[in-house]
């Protein structure tokens, strides 16, 4: 992840670390492919709502 993105999201923390990781992943995808919907960016709905 880009350093500017890490800096912007440094204060972001959810109770579950998996949610924090997923949120940062989605924001990174959004920054790379702006203008598209989240399902388009994540390529499929399952990965959009996936929490691993």
């Amino acid at each position: 992840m880009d350093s500017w993105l890490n800096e912007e999201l440094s204060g972001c923390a959810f109770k579950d670390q998996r949610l924090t990781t997923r949120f940062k992943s989605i924001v990174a995808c959004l920054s790379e492919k702006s203008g598209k919907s989240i399902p388009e960016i994540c390529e499929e709905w399952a990965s959009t709502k996936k929490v691993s």
Side-chain angles (χ1 to χ4, degrees):
M1 200 177 315
D2 295 327
S3 61
W4 71 268
L5 192 55
N6 281 328
E7 185 177 331
E8 288 294 322
L9 300 178
S10 64
C12 173
F14 295 91
K15 289 183 180 182
D16 187 332
Q17 180 59 39
R18 296 174 296 171
L19 295 176
T20 302
T21 303
R22 185 68 187 140
F23 175 70
K24 289 180 179 183
S25 173
I26 290 174
V27 171
C29 286
L30 286 170
S31 70
E32 293 171 7
K33 301 174 184 177
S34 63
K36 294 185 177 182
S37 69
I38 292 174
E40 286 178 311
I41 291 169
C42 294
E43 297 177 5
E44 58 185 40
W45 182 245
S47 63
T48 302
K49 61 181 186 170
K50 177 181 173 187
V51 177
S52 53

